[in-house]
PDB file of all heavy atoms in Angstrom:
ATOM      1  N   ALA A 403     160.045  83.819 137.588  1.00 97.00           N
ATOM      2  CA  ALA A 403     161.049  84.401 138.473  1.00 97.00           C
ATOM      3  C   ALA A 403     162.328  84.676 137.690  1.00 97.00           C
ATOM      4  O   ALA A 403     162.921  85.758 137.792  1.00 97.00           O
ATOM      5  CB  ALA A 403     161.314  83.446 139.630  1.00 97.00           C
ATOM      6  N   ASN A 404     162.733  83.709 136.891  1.00 97.00           N
ATOM      7  CA  ASN A 404     163.957  83.841 136.129  1.00 97.00           C
ATOM      8  C   ASN A 404     163.927  85.080 135.234  1.00 97.00           C
ATOM      9  O   ASN A 404     164.889  85.851 135.161  1.00 97.00           O
ATOM     10  CB  ASN A 404     164.122  82.560 135.300  1.00 97.00           C
ATOM     11  CG  ASN A 404     165.524  82.439 134.812  1.00 97.00           C
ATOM     12  OD1 ASN A 404     166.433  83.071 135.362  1.00 97.00           O
ATOM     13  ND2 ASN A 404     165.711  81.665 133.758  1.00 97.00           N
ATOM     14  N   GLU A 405     162.799  85.300 134.570  1.00 97.00           N
ATOM     15  CA  GLU A 405     162.673  86.470 133.681  1.00 97.00           C
ATOM     16  C   GLU A 405     162.800  87.769 134.481  1.00 97.00           C
ATOM     17  O   GLU A 405     163.476  88.703 134.053  1.00 97.00           O
ATOM     18  CB  GLU A 405     161.310  86.442 132.976  1.00 97.00           C
ATOM     19  CG  GLU A 405     161.228  85.432 131.846  1.00 97.00           C
ATOM     20  CD  GLU A 405     159.797  85.141 131.397  1.00 97.00           C
ATOM     21  OE1 GLU A 405     158.821  85.493 132.115  1.00 97.00           O
ATOM     22  OE2 GLU A 405     159.657  84.528 130.331  1.00 97.00           O
ATOM     23  N   LEU A 406     162.158  87.800 135.639  1.00 97.00           N
ATOM     24  CA  LEU A 406     162.200  89.026 136.446  1.00 97.00           C
ATOM     25  C   LEU A 406     163.626  89.342 136.895  1.00 97.00           C
ATOM     26  O   LEU A 406     164.123  90.445 136.702  1.00 97.00           O
ATOM     27  CB  LEU A 406     161.281  88.885 137.668  1.00 97.00           C
ATOM     28  CG  LEU A 406     161.357  90.029 138.686  1.00 97.00           C
ATOM     29  CD1 LEU A 406     160.787  91.321 138.102  1.00 97.00           C
ATOM     30  CD2 LEU A 406     160.593  89.694 139.971  1.00 97.00           C
ATOM     31  N   TRP A 407     164.298  88.362 137.499  1.00 98.00           N
ATOM     32  CA  TRP A 407     165.634  88.641 138.047  1.00 98.00           C
ATOM     33  C   TRP A 407     166.638  88.932 136.934  1.00 98.00           C
ATOM     34  O   TRP A 407     167.506  89.792 137.076  1.00 98.00           O
ATOM     35  CB  TRP A 407     166.113  87.490 138.946  1.00 98.00           C
ATOM     36  CG  TRP A 407     165.125  87.149 140.031  1.00 98.00           C
ATOM     37  CD1 TRP A 407     164.572  85.939 140.292  1.00 98.00           C
ATOM     38  CD2 TRP A 407     164.545  88.045 141.010  1.00 98.00           C
ATOM     39  NE1 TRP A 407     163.689  86.015 141.343  1.00 98.00           N
ATOM     40  CE2 TRP A 407     163.652  87.298 141.796  1.00 98.00           C
ATOM     41  CE3 TRP A 407     164.671  89.403 141.276  1.00 98.00           C
ATOM     42  CZ2 TRP A 407     162.910  87.849 142.845  1.00 98.00           C
ATOM     43  CZ3 TRP A 407     163.936  89.976 142.315  1.00 98.00           C
ATOM     44  CH2 TRP A 407     163.071  89.205 143.085  1.00 98.00           C
ATOM     45  N   SER A 408     166.514  88.230 135.794  1.00 98.00           N
ATOM     46  CA  SER A 408     167.448  88.492 134.678  1.00 98.00           C
ATOM     47  C   SER A 408     167.216  89.897 134.122  1.00 98.00           C
ATOM     48  O   SER A 408     168.154  90.596 133.768  1.00 98.00           O
ATOM     49  CB  SER A 408     167.255  87.512 133.526  1.00 98.00           C
ATOM     50  OG  SER A 408     167.154  86.228 134.013  1.00 98.00           O
ATOM     51  N   PHE A 409     165.954  90.297 134.053  1.00 97.00           N
ATOM     52  CA  PHE A 409     165.607  91.637 133.565  1.00 97.00           C
ATOM     53  C   PHE A 409     166.290  92.702 134.435  1.00 97.00           C
ATOM     54  O   PHE A 409     166.921  93.627 133.947  1.00 97.00           O
ATOM     55  CB  PHE A 409     164.078  91.799 133.609  1.00 97.00           C
ATOM     56  CG  PHE A 409     163.556  93.139 133.173  1.00 97.00           C
ATOM     57  CD1 PHE A 409     163.209  93.363 131.845  1.00 97.00           C
ATOM     58  CD2 PHE A 409     163.397  94.181 134.089  1.00 97.00           C
ATOM     59  CE1 PHE A 409     162.711  94.603 131.444  1.00 97.00           C
ATOM     60  CE2 PHE A 409     162.906  95.422 133.695  1.00 97.00           C
ATOM     61  CZ  PHE A 409     162.563  95.622 132.366  1.00 97.00           C
ATOM     62  N   ILE A 410     166.182  92.520 135.756  1.00 97.00           N
ATOM     63  CA  ILE A 410     166.767  93.508 136.671  1.00 97.00           C
ATOM     64  C   ILE A 410     168.289  93.523 136.515  1.00 97.00           C
ATOM     65  O   ILE A 410     168.910  94.587 136.416  1.00 97.00           O
ATOM     66  CB  ILE A 410     166.377  93.194 138.138  1.00 97.00           C
ATOM     67  CG1 ILE A 410     164.859  93.268 138.304  1.00 97.00           C
ATOM     68  CG2 ILE A 410     167.058  94.148 139.099  1.00 97.00           C
ATOM     69  CD1 ILE A 410     164.352  92.881 139.678  1.00 97.00           C
ATOM     70  N   ALA A 411     168.897  92.333 136.481  1.00 98.00           N
ATOM     71  CA  ALA A 411     170.362  92.267 136.391  1.00 98.00           C
ATOM     72  C   ALA A 411     170.853  92.887 135.083  1.00 98.00           C
ATOM     73  O   ALA A 411     171.877  93.577 135.054  1.00 98.00           O
ATOM     74  CB  ALA A 411     170.814  90.815 136.516  1.00 98.00           C
ATOM     75  N   GLU A 412     170.085  92.677 134.019  1.00 97.00           N
ATOM     76  CA  GLU A 412     170.485  93.238 132.723  1.00 97.00           C
ATOM     77  C   GLU A 412     170.535  94.769 132.797  1.00 97.00           C
ATOM     78  O   GLU A 412     171.489  95.401 132.359  1.00 97.00           O
ATOM     79  CB  GLU A 412     169.466  92.787 131.665  1.00 97.00           C
ATOM     80  CG  GLU A 412     169.808  93.259 130.271  1.00 97.00           C
ATOM     81  CD  GLU A 412     168.710  92.895 129.268  1.00 97.00           C
ATOM     82  OE1 GLU A 412     167.954  91.922 129.505  1.00 97.00           O
ATOM     83  OE2 GLU A 412     168.609  93.615 128.252  1.00 97.00           O
ATOM     84  N   TYR A 413     169.499  95.363 133.401  1.00 96.00           N
ATOM     85  CA  TYR A 413     169.470  96.822 133.462  1.00 96.00           C
ATOM     86  C   TYR A 413     170.451  97.368 134.504  1.00 96.00           C
ATOM     87  O   TYR A 413     170.941  98.488 134.371  1.00 96.00           O
ATOM     88  CB  TYR A 413     168.042  97.332 133.659  1.00 96.00           C
ATOM     89  CG  TYR A 413     167.284  97.198 132.370  1.00 96.00           C
ATOM     90  CD1 TYR A 413     166.357  96.184 132.172  1.00 96.00           C
ATOM     91  CD2 TYR A 413     167.580  98.036 131.298  1.00 96.00           C
ATOM     92  CE1 TYR A 413     165.714  96.025 130.954  1.00 96.00           C
ATOM     93  CE2 TYR A 413     166.944  97.887 130.079  1.00 96.00           C
ATOM     94  CZ  TYR A 413     166.013  96.875 129.913  1.00 96.00           C
ATOM     95  OH  TYR A 413     165.399  96.719 128.700  1.00 96.00           O
ATOM     96  N   LEU A 414     170.748  96.566 135.496  1.00 97.00           N
ATOM     97  CA  LEU A 414     171.781  96.975 136.453  1.00 97.00           C
ATOM     98  C   LEU A 414     173.119  97.067 135.706  1.00 97.00           C
ATOM     99  O   LEU A 414     173.876  98.029 135.861  1.00 97.00           O
ATOM    100  CB  LEU A 414     171.864  95.947 137.603  1.00 97.00           C
ATOM    101  CG  LEU A 414     172.990  96.148 138.609  1.00 97.00           C
ATOM    102  CD1 LEU A 414     172.842  97.480 139.344  1.00 97.00           C
ATOM    103  CD2 LEU A 414     173.003  95.003 139.647  1.00 97.00           C
ATOM    104  N   GLU A 415     173.394  96.068 134.870  1.00 95.00           N
ATOM    105  CA  GLU A 415     174.643  96.083 134.103  1.00 95.00           C
ATOM    106  C   GLU A 415     174.680  97.297 133.165  1.00 95.00           C
ATOM    107  O   GLU A 415     175.669  98.008 133.094  1.00 95.00           O
ATOM    108  CB  GLU A 415     174.780  94.780 133.301  1.00 95.00           C
ATOM    109  CG  GLU A 415     176.065  94.766 132.475  1.00 95.00           C
ATOM    110  CD  GLU A 415     176.405  93.379 131.934  1.00 95.00           C
ATOM    111  OE1 GLU A 415     175.536  92.479 131.944  1.00 95.00           O
ATOM    112  OE2 GLU A 415     177.557  93.208 131.508  1.00 95.00           O
ATOM    113  N   VAL A 467     164.010  86.570 148.381  1.00 98.00           N
ATOM    114  CA  VAL A 467     164.290  87.180 147.075  1.00 98.00           C
ATOM    115  C   VAL A 467     165.755  87.600 146.922  1.00 98.00           C
ATOM    116  O   VAL A 467     166.237  87.782 145.804  1.00 98.00           O
ATOM    117  CB  VAL A 467     163.359  88.399 146.799  1.00 98.00           C
ATOM    118  CG1 VAL A 467     161.922  87.950 146.740  1.00 98.00           C
ATOM    119  CG2 VAL A 467     163.537  89.510 147.822  1.00 98.00           C
ATOM    120  N   VAL A 468     166.478  87.746 148.034  1.00 98.00           N
ATOM    121  CA  VAL A 468     167.866  88.230 147.945  1.00 98.00           C
ATOM    122  C   VAL A 468     168.766  87.258 147.177  1.00 98.00           C
ATOM    123  O   VAL A 468     169.404  87.661 146.195  1.00 98.00           O
ATOM    124  CB  VAL A 468     168.433  88.582 149.342  1.00 98.00           C
ATOM    125  CG1 VAL A 468     169.918  88.927 149.258  1.00 98.00           C
ATOM    126  CG2 VAL A 468     167.649  89.740 149.948  1.00 98.00           C
ATOM    127  N   PRO A 469     168.843  85.970 147.562  1.00 98.00           N
ATOM    128  CA  PRO A 469     169.707  85.070 146.783  1.00 98.00           C
ATOM    129  C   PRO A 469     169.270  84.927 145.327  1.00 98.00           C
ATOM    130  O   PRO A 469     170.095  84.729 144.445  1.00 98.00           O
ATOM    131  CB  PRO A 469     169.588  83.727 147.515  1.00 98.00           C
ATOM    132  CG  PRO A 469     168.564  83.877 148.555  1.00 98.00           C
ATOM    133  CD  PRO A 469     168.259  85.320 148.733  1.00 98.00           C
ATOM    134  N   MET A 470     167.968  85.095 145.083  1.00 98.00           N
ATOM    135  CA  MET A 470     167.490  84.986 143.690  1.00 98.00           C
ATOM    136  C   MET A 470     168.075  86.103 142.833  1.00 98.00           C
ATOM    137  O   MET A 470     168.596  85.868 141.750  1.00 98.00           O
ATOM    138  CB  MET A 470     165.965  85.078 143.645  1.00 98.00           C
ATOM    139  CG  MET A 470     165.261  83.871 144.202  1.00 98.00           C
ATOM    140  SD  MET A 470     163.489  84.120 143.952  1.00 98.00           S
ATOM    141  CE  MET A 470     162.874  82.542 144.345  1.00 98.00           C
ATOM    142  N   LEU A 471     167.973  87.335 143.341  1.00 98.00           N
ATOM    143  CA  LEU A 471     168.517  88.454 142.571  1.00 98.00           C
ATOM    144  C   LEU A 471     170.049  88.379 142.536  1.00 98.00           C
ATOM    145  O   LEU A 471     170.675  88.624 141.502  1.00 98.00           O
ATOM    146  CB  LEU A 471     168.050  89.798 143.161  1.00 98.00           C
ATOM    147  CG  LEU A 471     168.624  91.041 142.482  1.00 98.00           C
ATOM    148  CD1 LEU A 471     168.308  91.065 140.981  1.00 98.00           C
ATOM    149  CD2 LEU A 471     168.095  92.328 143.113  1.00 98.00           C
ATOM    150  N   GLN A 472     170.647  88.021 143.667  1.00 98.00           N
ATOM    151  CA  GLN A 472     172.116  87.944 143.717  1.00 98.00           C
ATOM    152  C   GLN A 472     172.636  86.967 142.657  1.00 98.00           C
ATOM    153  O   GLN A 472     173.633  87.230 141.987  1.00 98.00           O
ATOM    154  CB  GLN A 472     172.567  87.509 145.128  1.00 98.00           C
ATOM    155  CG  GLN A 472     174.079  87.564 145.331  1.00 98.00           C
ATOM    156  CD  GLN A 472     174.632  88.995 145.320  1.00 98.00           C
ATOM    157  OE1 GLN A 472     174.222  89.842 146.121  1.00 98.00           O
ATOM    158  NE2 GLN A 472     175.551  89.276 144.405  1.00 98.00           N
ATOM    159  N   LYS A 473     171.937  85.856 142.493  1.00 98.00           N
ATOM    160  CA  LYS A 473     172.359  84.845 141.518  1.00 98.00           C
ATOM    161  C   LYS A 473     172.355  85.430 140.094  1.00 98.00           C
ATOM    162  O   LYS A 473     173.299  85.212 139.317  1.00 98.00           O
ATOM    163  CB  LYS A 473     171.403  83.644 141.605  1.00 98.00           C
ATOM    164  CG  LYS A 473     171.964  82.382 141.021  1.00 98.00           C
ATOM    165  CD  LYS A 473     171.088  81.204 141.407  1.00 98.00           C
ATOM    166  CE  LYS A 473     171.096  80.184 140.273  1.00 98.00           C
ATOM    167  NZ  LYS A 473     169.972  79.270 140.337  1.00 98.00           N
ATOM    168  N   ALA A 474     171.310  86.193 139.791  1.00 98.00           N
ATOM    169  CA  ALA A 474     171.223  86.795 138.449  1.00 98.00           C
ATOM    170  C   ALA A 474     172.327  87.832 138.253  1.00 98.00           C
ATOM    171  O   ALA A 474     172.865  87.993 137.155  1.00 98.00           O
ATOM    172  CB  ALA A 474     169.849  87.430 138.263  1.00 98.00           C
ATOM    173  N   ILE A 475     172.678  88.536 139.336  1.00 98.00           N
ATOM    174  CA  ILE A 475     173.758  89.541 139.265  1.00 98.00           C
ATOM    175  C   ILE A 475     175.094  88.816 139.045  1.00 98.00           C
ATOM    176  O   ILE A 475     175.909  89.199 138.205  1.00 98.00           O
ATOM    177  CB  ILE A 475     173.800  90.385 140.571  1.00 98.00           C
ATOM    178  CG1 ILE A 475     172.540  91.251 140.681  1.00 98.00           C
ATOM    179  CG2 ILE A 475     175.067  91.228 140.636  1.00 98.00           C
ATOM    180  CD1 ILE A 475     172.385  92.011 141.995  1.00 98.00           C
ATOM    181  N   ASP A 476     175.300  87.730 139.804  1.00 97.00           N
ATOM    182  CA  ASP A 476     176.550  86.973 139.706  1.00 97.00           C
ATOM    183  C   ASP A 476     176.703  86.347 138.321  1.00 97.00           C
ATOM    184  O   ASP A 476     177.807  86.229 137.805  1.00 97.00           O
ATOM    185  CB  ASP A 476     176.607  85.879 140.787  1.00 97.00           C
ATOM    186  CG  ASP A 476     176.669  86.480 142.191  1.00 97.00           C
ATOM    187  OD1 ASP A 476     176.925  87.703 142.303  1.00 97.00           O
ATOM    188  OD2 ASP A 476     176.436  85.746 143.179  1.00 97.00           O
ATOM    189  N   LYS A 477     175.601  85.959 137.752  1.00 97.00           N
ATOM    190  CA  LYS A 477     175.639  85.325 136.424  1.00 97.00           C
ATOM    191  C   LYS A 477     176.257  86.275 135.392  1.00 97.00           C
ATOM    192  O   LYS A 477     176.876  85.859 134.432  1.00 97.00           O
ATOM    193  CB  LYS A 477     174.202  84.966 136.020  1.00 97.00           C
ATOM    194  CG  LYS A 477     174.126  83.731 135.168  1.00 97.00           C
ATOM    195  CD  LYS A 477     172.705  83.240 135.094  1.00 97.00           C
ATOM    196  CE  LYS A 477     172.521  82.324 133.912  1.00 97.00           C
ATOM    197  NZ  LYS A 477     171.126  82.036 133.680  1.00 97.00           N
ATOM    198  N   ARG A 478     176.063  87.573 135.640  1.00 96.00           N
ATOM    199  CA  ARG A 478     176.639  88.576 134.734  1.00 96.00           C
ATOM    200  C   ARG A 478     178.009  89.037 135.215  1.00 96.00           C
ATOM    201  O   ARG A 478     178.555  90.003 134.691  1.00 96.00           O
ATOM    202  CB  ARG A 478     175.703  89.785 134.634  1.00 96.00           C
ATOM    203  CG  ARG A 478     174.459  89.456 133.891  1.00 96.00           C
ATOM    204  CD  ARG A 478     173.559  90.639 133.692  1.00 96.00           C
ATOM    205  NE  ARG A 478     172.490  90.238 132.810  1.00 96.00           N
ATOM    206  CZ  ARG A 478     172.492  90.453 131.492  1.00 96.00           C
ATOM    207  NH1 ARG A 478     173.465  91.120 130.931  1.00 96.00           N
ATOM    208  NH2 ARG A 478     171.493  90.019 130.754  1.00 96.00           N
ATOM    209  N   SER A 479     178.504  88.401 136.268  1.00 95.00           N
ATOM    210  CA  SER A 479     179.817  88.736 136.856  1.00 95.00           C
ATOM    211  C   SER A 479     179.927  90.217 137.223  1.00 95.00           C
ATOM    212  O   SER A 479     180.960  90.851 136.999  1.00 95.00           O
ATOM    213  CB  SER A 479     180.951  88.371 135.887  1.00 95.00           C
ATOM    214  OG  SER A 479     180.861  87.023 135.550  1.00 95.00           O
ATOM    215  N   LEU A 480     178.852  90.762 137.755  1.00 96.00           N
ATOM    216  CA  LEU A 480     178.905  92.165 138.178  1.00 96.00           C
ATOM    217  C   LEU A 480     179.428  92.231 139.612  1.00 96.00           C
ATOM    218  O   LEU A 480     179.041  91.405 140.445  1.00 96.00           O
ATOM    219  CB  LEU A 480     177.503  92.798 138.112  1.00 96.00           C
ATOM    220  CG  LEU A 480     176.792  92.731 136.767  1.00 96.00           C
ATOM    221  CD1 LEU A 480     175.383  93.299 136.876  1.00 96.00           C
ATOM    222  CD2 LEU A 480     177.599  93.509 135.722  1.00 96.00           C
ATOM    223  N   VAL A 482     178.746  93.361 142.443  1.00 97.00           N
ATOM    224  CA  VAL A 482     177.701  93.987 143.258  1.00 97.00           C
ATOM    225  C   VAL A 482     177.208  92.980 144.289  1.00 97.00           C
ATOM    226  O   VAL A 482     176.927  91.829 143.943  1.00 97.00           O
ATOM    227  CB  VAL A 482     176.505  94.424 142.365  1.00 97.00           C
ATOM    228  CG1 VAL A 482     175.359  94.923 143.215  1.00 97.00           C
ATOM    229  CG2 VAL A 482     176.935  95.493 141.373  1.00 97.00           C
ATOM    230  N   ILE A 484     174.334  92.479 147.322  1.00 97.00           N
ATOM    231  CA  ILE A 484     173.152  93.015 148.019  1.00 97.00           C
ATOM    232  C   ILE A 484     173.433  92.939 149.515  1.00 97.00           C
ATOM    233  O   ILE A 484     173.629  91.851 150.063  1.00 97.00           O
ATOM    234  CB  ILE A 484     171.881  92.195 147.689  1.00 97.00           C
ATOM    235  CG1 ILE A 484     171.704  92.069 146.175  1.00 97.00           C
ATOM    236  CG2 ILE A 484     170.651  92.817 148.341  1.00 97.00           C
ATOM    237  CD1 ILE A 484     170.611  91.087 145.754  1.00 97.00           C
TER     238      ILE A 484
END
Side-chain angles (χ1 to χ4, degrees):
N404 197 20
E405 284 165 345
L406 173 68
W407 306 125
S408 314
F409 178 91
I410 298 176
E412 182 185 335
Y413 285 104
L414 174 62
E415 179 166 15
V467 297
V468 173
M470 289 184 169
L471 177 57
Q472 187 68 58
K473 199 168 147 200
I475 293 173
D476 294 347
K477 212 166 161 190
R478 290 184 172 264
S479 304
L480 304 176
V482 173
I484 308 170

